[in-house]
Amino acid sequence: MKTITLLTCENIQEAYILKGRLENEGIHCFIKNEIFSTLKPDYYTVYGDGPQLVINEEDLEKSRIILKDKIEVEKQITICPRCGSTNIGLGRTRNVFLRIFIILIAVLFVIPLRRKTPKLYCRECKTEII
C-alpha cells in the first residue's frame, strides 16, 4: 500500500479533528510531524509545514469528499500568476543574502528581530504571490 499526504494542518488539534472525521467514515489515517509540531507549535507559521494527515492512496477520492470544505480552502491559490506553475510554497523570503545581512545588522546593533508572517511564493520563478 502506498501512502500519500492528504493535507497539512495549522495545529495538532485541527489534525486530530480531521483524523476523527476520516476514521468515523472508515478511512485509516495517521498524523505525520505530530511530535515536532507539539514541541514547536509555531513551525507551521514559520516554515509552512505542520502536522500532516497521511492516508492510503486508494482512499484519496473518498477522503476528498469527506474533507471537501477543508481542502477547498487550502487550494484557493494553486497557480502562479507569472509562470503558471502549480508548485506553490508557504514561507519567508528566499533571498539568503538578505536574510543573513539582516541577522548580522541585528546582532551588531543589538536590535531584536521581529517575526515576519509567511507568504505564498512560487518555487519555480521565486515570485511572491501574497
Side-chain angles (χ1 to χ4, degrees):
M1 284 187 178
K2 185 176 177 185
T3 59
I4 56 171
T5 301
L6 179 63
L7 57 90
T8 302
C9 302
E10 291 186 30
N11 54 44
I12 196 69
Q13 293 84 4
E14 179 186 13
Y16 271 109
I17 290 170
L18 296 177
K19 179 182 177 191
R21 283 175 64 183
L22 290 175
E23 287 182 344
N24 283 340
E25 298 293 328
I27 297 174
H28 179 70
C29 59
F30 65 93
I31 300 172
K32 186 168 76 170
N33 294 341
E34 175 181 5
I35 295 173
F36 190 78
S37 297
T38 304
L39 294 174
K40 191 139 175 81
D42 60 341
Y43 185 63
Y44 177 79
T45 57
V46 174
Y47 299 106
D49 198 19
Q52 299 175 343
L53 211 55
V54 179
I55 61 168
N56 290 329
E57 190 175 32
E58 58 244 7
D59 294 331
L60 178 62
E61 288 305 316
K62 188 175 178 185
S63 300
R64 283 185 176 164
I65 293 169
I66 296 169
L67 301 179
K68 180 182 177 190
D69 55 336
K70 174 64 182 168
I71 294 174
E72 289 298 321
V73 170
E74 194 169 273
K75 298 204 178 225
Q76 284 178 353
I77 300 175
T78 56
I79 297 175
C80 174
R82 183 173 175 202
C83 68
S85 172
T86 58
N87 194 2
I88 304 294
L90 180 69
R92 296 185 179 176
T93 179
R94 297 294 162 211
N95 189 343
V96 177
F97 297 113
L98 178 64
R99 288 181 11 202
I100 291 172
F101 178 72
I102 291 171
I103 291 171
L104 288 176
I105 295 296
V107 169
L108 184 65
F109 293 111
V110 192
I111 301 170
L113 293 173
R114 66 179 181 91
R115 280 188 197 210
K116 291 180 68 180
T117 57
K119 301 187 181 200
L120 289 172
Y121 69 96
C122 176
R123 291 182 177 143
E124 301 293 325
C125 66
K126 308 296 187 225
T127 303
E128 191 174 289
I129 296 174
I130 292 179

